Amino acid sequence: MIITIQKPDEEINKMIEGRDRIFIIGCGTCATECQTGGEEQVKDLKNKLESLGKKVTGQLIVESVCDQRLTRRDLRRNKETVNDSNAIMVLSCGTATQTVSEISKKITIPCCDTEFIGTTERIGKFYERCRACGECILYDTGGICPIARCGKTLLNGPCGGQAKGKCEVGGWEKECAWIQIYERLRDEGRLDLFKKYRPPKDHSEMASQREVIFR
Amino acid sequence: MIREAFSELTKAIRAGTFVYTGEIEPLKTTSLEETLETAKILKGHVIAANITDNPTAFAYMNSLIPSYFIQKEIGLEAVYQVTVRDRNRLAITADLLAASALGIKNVLALSGDHTTVGDDPGTKPVYDLDSTALVDLLRKMVDDGTDIKGNKIDQPPKFNFGIAGNPNADPLDPEILKIERKIELGADFMQTQAVYDVDLMKEFVKQVSRLKVPVIVGIAPFKSRGMMDWMVKNVPGIVVPEDIQKSLLAAREKSKEAFLDENLKIFGDLIKEIRNTPNVSGLHIMTIGFEWIVPKLIEKANQ
Ligand code: SF4
Ligand code: SF4
């Protein structure tokens, strides 16, 4: 899931300065789970805007804003109110905001900061797990991603900074991913994989806007 | 294949001499004066001195420049420290070519403390290579005459290169396996983080002895009570036995001089222990800011 948090009010207030007719879009998938762009957050924003004397021209929750098909359909259904607005506020991830911006051609205001691709322990406890590196090595690393979880993104850890299994980065509070990888591979009887040298990644694939096109 | 000994350090190790190395920290300055002064103090007592590369992620003078000057002006061989934190493989390769052109013979491959502990925590860390990949790069440059990608180098560099090891590592097993990974890639020597605990040191040396790599054990005497407290509190990776702390504190109660005398006694004894441990090739003494203690320490250990 894409983990988002809400931007602080001050930052949002600056972006809506001088814009008095606003359309609000929330997202039914990740942002709902993060409680950053679900029903309740859309309603709260509406109330806040109205108390600031702004007109909310309309609001809607797209099932998944990042899916252009759904967003295009929903925007078309709300064509009049969308056209009547001088800004659209998006309560979802950066991909969602760009999707709305591309389709609507309206000034689009991101209301969330996109944090990471993560796992949900429960609402309010989210942890980063993947950096979308394009070449998954989880089989070799006991199902623990060193790119997302090692403070130095090392492919051949641990570094000299680990202490009692904790990571130097952030002051020895979080787990050292490489000690976790070691323990997991040890328990699985696969320490040969731990000891194996992993050459540096080929970053050329990540060099420009990545695309997946198979049809 | 055993790599040729290019540096005086490696030659001495191979000849079976117990070697001493020191450490010099370039500062946030354009002046080389202090660095050269320090090198002068160390010369004659250590066979080579490490020049640190932006230690604890503080931006200091590029370590290559003092490495060159201590060799040229003072005649003290440098161990050019290179971290993978600040430069990608392109920049590191370029710097290593320059280092060889400047006559550098020893390189120490390091990860480097994370940027968040530095003096500008907002810096973007690089880590394009990790320290293991840096060993791979060094091996390819020296042995194969190519960069890490396999592109040919005209007149390849002649380096001996080392890695770091941490005897304090807890758990120790993954540390040993990581060291093994680097040795298999061809590192010539290992310098360790500071040890204070003789038993930890011995256990570590015992465990790495099967890897047949020369081990230069690190020690870091305490410049002041403040430094000791800071290390104990802020560097969880370092184990300073209680009795050492206690006797130093008691000495400090008396006077600053007594504190230094106690240092000499404790670390003199520690050096003796290290020297008498089988399979130890040398001692790396880290005394940033009070290098004058190095000759005294070695003298004490020789008594
Ligand atoms: S290795 Fe890590 S960052 Fe790369 S795809 Fe797998 S989980 Fe994601
Ligand atoms: S302590 Fe562990 S997780 Fe943290 S940077 Fe070092 S190897 Fe990575």
Side-chain angles (χ1 to χ4, degrees):
Chain A
M1 193 175 63
I2 309 285
I3 309 300
T4 48
I5 56 173
Q6 261 173 350
K7 277 188 178 293
D9 278 353
E10 303 158 27
E11 202 184 327
I12 292 181
N13 288 346
K14 269 195 205 125
M15 293 186 281
I16 57 173
E17 240 170 48
R19 311 190 195 288
D20 54 359
R21 296 188 315 283
I22 293 172
F23 193 91
I24 306 174
I25 294 181
C27 177
T29 310
C30 306
T32 289
E33 191 162 327
C34 291
Q35 297 191 351
T36 49
E39 297 273 359
E40 213 167 300
Q41 293 77 42
V42 168
K43 204 169 83 201
D44 286 351
L45 181 61
K46 179 175 190 274
N47 292 340
K48 204 159 23 184
L49 291 172
E50 283 170 354
S51 73
L52 289 169
K54 314 254 181 205
K55 180 174 157 63
V56 174
T57 53
Q59 82 219 47
L60 78 96
I61 305 231
V62 181
E63 190 189 325
S64 290
V65 188
C66 58
D67 188 330
Q68 296 187 10
R69 296 163 300 176
L70 301 177
T71 300
R72 186 170 289 117
R73 182 195 69 195
D74 288 358
L75 282 174
R76 203 180 294 132
R77 283 181 185 159
N78 291 272
K79 208 159 124 195
E80 267 173 37
T81 40
V82 170
N83 282 346
D84 181 41
S85 323
N86 48 23
I88 303 181
M89 295 179 79
V90 180
L91 292 152
S92 184
C93 67
T95 298
T97 305
Q98 292 178 62
T99 304
V100 170
S101 168
E102 278 165 36
I103 293 171
S104 71
K105 308 281 187 268
K106 288 272 174 192
I107 288 176
T108 308
I109 295 168
C111 298
C112 298
D113 287 321
T114 305
E115 298 294 305
F116 47 77
I117 305 176
T119 182
T120 310
E121 183 184 311
R122 58 174 171 78
I123 301 305
K125 278 198 186 296
F126 307 107
Y127 303 97
E128 183 173 20
R129 287 295 183 261
C130 174
R131 292 227 174 138
C133 76
E135 199 182 4
C136 197
I137 58 166
L138 284 173
Y139 178 77
D140 274 14
T141 56
I144 294 158
C145 172
I147 296 166
R149 296 164 75 176
C150 162
K152 298 179 184 172
T153 63
L154 305 179
L155 294 177
N156 299 283
C159 75
Q162 79 81 14
K164 293 203 164 48
K166 301 285 181 191
C167 174
E168 160 191 317
V169 183
W172 295 279
E173 280 173 5
K174 295 178 185 153
E175 302 299 319
C176 164
W178 272 103
I179 297 302
Q180 292 178 305
I181 292 169
Y182 163 76
E183 287 170 348
R184 185 70 184 248
L185 289 174
R186 180 197 59 200
D187 295 350
E188 293 171 352
R190 301 198 294 155
L191 278 180
D192 53 317
L193 284 176
F194 179 82
K195 219 195 75 185
K196 178 178 117 178
Y197 165 56
R198 276 161 287 269
K201 267 191 171 302
D202 176 355
H203 287 276
S204 60
E205 289 292 324
M206 314 253 297
S208 79
Q209 304 180 33
R210 286 184 278 175
E211 298 172 342
V212 173
I213 294 169
F214 59 88
R215 277 215 310 209
Chain B
M1 185 194 86
I2 182 130
R3 189 171 302 115
E4 200 181 316
F6 299 113
S7 69
E8 294 309 313
L9 173 63
T10 301
K11 281 178 194 157
I13 293 173
R14 298 234 179 117
T17 316
F18 188 88
V19 296
Y20 291 91
T21 53
E23 188 154 304
I24 302 175
E25 193 170 284
L27 296 172
K28 219 188 254 316
T29 172
T30 58
S31 165
L32 281 161
E33 209 181 310
E34 235 183 278
T35 305
L36 294 180
E37 276 309 309
T38 309
K40 246 185 241 165
I41 298 171
L42 292 176
K43 187 175 154 79
H45 303 286
V46 298
I47 189 166
N50 290 37
I51 307 285
T52 55
D53 177 13
N54 291 347
T56 64
F58 282 48
Y60 288 163
M61 186 190 291
N62 185 325
S63 59
L64 179 54
I65 281 65
S67 294
Y68 167 71
F69 276 105
I70 66 159
Q71 293 196 162
K72 180 167 173 279
E73 306 269 319
I74 313 296
L76 176 60
E77 190 168 274
V79 179
Y80 170 41
Q81 294 198 356
V82 176
T83 76
V84 292
R85 176 196 54 224
D86 308 328
R87 285 161 293 177
N88 64 11
R89 60 192 95 164
L90 218 73
I92 291 175
T93 306
D95 282 357
L96 289 171
L97 292 174
S100 191
L102 293 177
I104 303 302
K105 298 290 181 213
N106 303 295
V107 179
L108 188 71
L110 299 169
S111 307
D113 297 317
H114 195 260
T115 44
T116 48
V117 305
D119 65 352
D120 185 353
T123 303
K124 180 179 182 179
V126 180
Y127 300 113
D128 175 32
L129 304 180
D130 56 27
S131 55
T132 312
L134 175 52
V135 172
D136 187 30
L137 168 64
L138 283 158
R139 175 184 65 83
K140 287 191 170 128
M141 288 181 94
V142 177
D143 297 350
D144 304 347
T146 72
D147 61 18
I148 199 162
K149 182 72 184 162
N151 301 301
K152 269 258 158 288
I153 295 172
D154 173 43
Q155 301 187 38
K158 296 184 164 83
F159 294 131
N160 293 117
F161 44 91
I163 58 168
N166 186 7
N168 307 288
D170 176 13
L172 187 59
D173 276 2
E175 178 72 13
I176 304 286
L177 288 171
K178 176 192 73 176
I179 290 169
E180 189 170 357
R181 210 192 267 144
K182 293 182 182 179
I183 301 302
E184 282 176 359
L185 283 172
D188 288 302
F189 62 91
M190 167 162 59
Q191 290 176 308
T192 81
Q193 314 261 34
V195 283
Y196 297 90
D197 188 312
V198 176
D199 296 335
L200 275 183
M201 183 272 298
K202 288 195 168 157
E203 179 57 27
F204 177 78
V205 172
K206 199 174 107 200
Q207 291 215 28
V208 292
S209 64
R210 70 180 164 88
L211 305 177
K212 306 270 177 276
V213 64
V215 182
I216 303 173
V217 174
I219 62 161
F222 297 115
K223 186 180 174 189
S224 62
R225 183 185 162 166
M227 176 201 164
M228 179 167 87
D229 290 347
W230 185 87
M231 292 257 296
V232 172
K233 222 175 110 214
N234 295 306
V235 192
I238 296 222
V239 182
V240 186
E242 287 278 326
D243 51 331
I244 291 187
Q245 292 186 50
K246 268 193 200 135
S247 68
L248 279 166
L249 284 181
R252 184 63 188 85
E253 296 289 303
K254 279 182 221 148
S255 68
K256 275 189 183 159
E257 289 70 32
F259 181 81
L260 284 171
D261 282 345
E262 191 61 23
N263 252 300
L264 284 175
K265 188 178 156 299
I266 288 171
F267 290 96
D269 288 348
L270 185 60
I271 294 175
K272 279 185 200 163
E273 285 277 359
I274 293 171
R275 242 182 3 203
N276 292 330
T277 305
N279 300 314
V280 175
S281 297
L283 188 76
H284 179 59
I285 312 178
M286 292 168 269
T287 48
I288 301 301
F290 67 130
E291 291 75 12
W292 50 264
I293 202 172
V294 171
K296 285 186 203 278
L297 264 176
I298 297 176
E299 187 188 315
K300 186 91 185 169
N302 282 336
Q303 276 168 11

